[in-house]
Amino acid sequence: MHSIDAVDLALLRALTQDPRATTVALAQRLGISRNTVAARLTRLDDAGAFREFDRCIDPAVLGHPLTAFIEVTVHQQELSRIVEELARIPEVVQAYGHSGQADLRVHVVCRDTDHLFRIDAAILRIGGVQRTETALSMGELVPYRITPLVEKLRRGL
């Protein structure tokens, strides 16, 4: 990724405040040309700065109000295949490889605890999965955010 400068940070900050802003609106707000905004957005997008829109959709609206995190211990030699199979389970919204006793942390959404039990069972049926440990989320306390980091970086420039 290219290095982020003050203009990029101002643009990213403006987008965190109004993600649906048009190129023209961003240009007016930042006092730069529309072509500059368009070029910067393209460069940031090409560098992978923007995530998919579906990250902004609340699963509760889709009838899946419960969130759980499933720690999964696997046979390391089968990790890539296991991850592919996890990705085929629609309720798996995210998975991370991590250090510690378990190998994966799988973020799932479900309708209720019975549904969670069935999702956990589906994960356990994947060949190479040794065991799981499930924790039900009691609520999101610090929602996903990037604005404080953008602000810190802007102050540092």
Side-chain angles (χ1 to χ4, degrees), residues 8-74:
D8 290 332
L9 288 170
L11 183 56
L12 291 171
R13 182 176 184 274
L15 285 170
T16 63
Q17 293 172 338
D18 185 5
R20 294 184 179 104
T22 65
T23 303
V24 172
L26 290 167
Q28 289 173 344
R29 182 175 182 171
L30 299 175
I32 57 179
S33 77
R34 186 187 65 192
N35 288 340
T36 298
V37 169
R40 295 290 184 124
L41 288 174
T42 297
R43 191 169 64 207
L44 287 165
D45 191 34
D46 289 347
F50 303 117
R51 299 208 173 176
E52 297 83 15
F53 178 77
D54 64 350
R55 291 178 63 92
C56 300
I57 299 171
D58 186 345
V61 172
L62 303 174
H64 290 66
L66 295 180
T67 295
F69 298 94
I70 302 175
E71 303 283 332
V72 183
T73 303
V74 304

Side-chain angles (χ1 to χ4, degrees), residues 6-154:
V7 174
D8 290 332
L9 288 170
L11 183 56
L12 291 171
R13 182 176 184 274
L15 285 170
T16 63
Q17 293 172 338
D18 185 5
R20 294 184 179 104
T22 65
T23 303
V24 172
L26 290 167
Q28 289 173 344
R29 182 175 182 171
L30 299 175
I32 57 179
S33 77
R34 186 187 65 192
N35 288 340
T36 298
V37 169
R40 295 290 184 124
L41 288 174
T42 297
R43 191 169 64 207
L44 287 165
D45 191 34
D46 289 347
F50 303 117
R51 299 208 173 176
E52 297 83 15
F53 178 77
D54 64 350
R55 291 178 63 92
C56 300
I57 299 171
D58 186 345
V61 172
L62 303 174
H64 290 66
L66 295 180
T67 295
F69 298 94
I70 302 175
E71 303 283 332
V72 183
T73 303
V74 304
H75 291 288
Q76 287 294 315
Q77 302 85 341
E78 301 181 63
L79 181 62
S80 61
R81 183 189 50 75
I82 291 168
V83 169
E84 287 174 10
E85 291 192 43
L86 284 171
R88 287 197 269 282
I89 300 172
E91 293 86 356
V92 171
V93 295
Q94 197 170 31
Y96 285 96
H98 68 94
S99 62
Q101 291 185 336
D103 302 299
L104 301 170
R105 172 171 273 227
V106 180
H107 175 183
V108 301
V109 294
C110 45
R111 293 185 300 275
D112 53 36
T113 54
D114 186 57
H115 187 206
L116 174 58
F117 184 76
R118 290 193 310 276
I119 294 166
D120 187 63
I123 292 171
L124 281 166
R125 281 193 300 273
I126 296 172
V129 169
Q130 294 176 316
R131 69 179 198 86
T132 64
E133 186 173 325
T134 303
L136 187 61
S137 171
M138 301 306 286
E140 184 178 65
L141 302 178
V142 178
Y144 181 86
R145 69 221 175 100
I146 203 71
T147 304
L149 180 59
V150 171
E151 287 298 323
K152 179 181 179 182
L153 293 172
R154 284 186 69 219

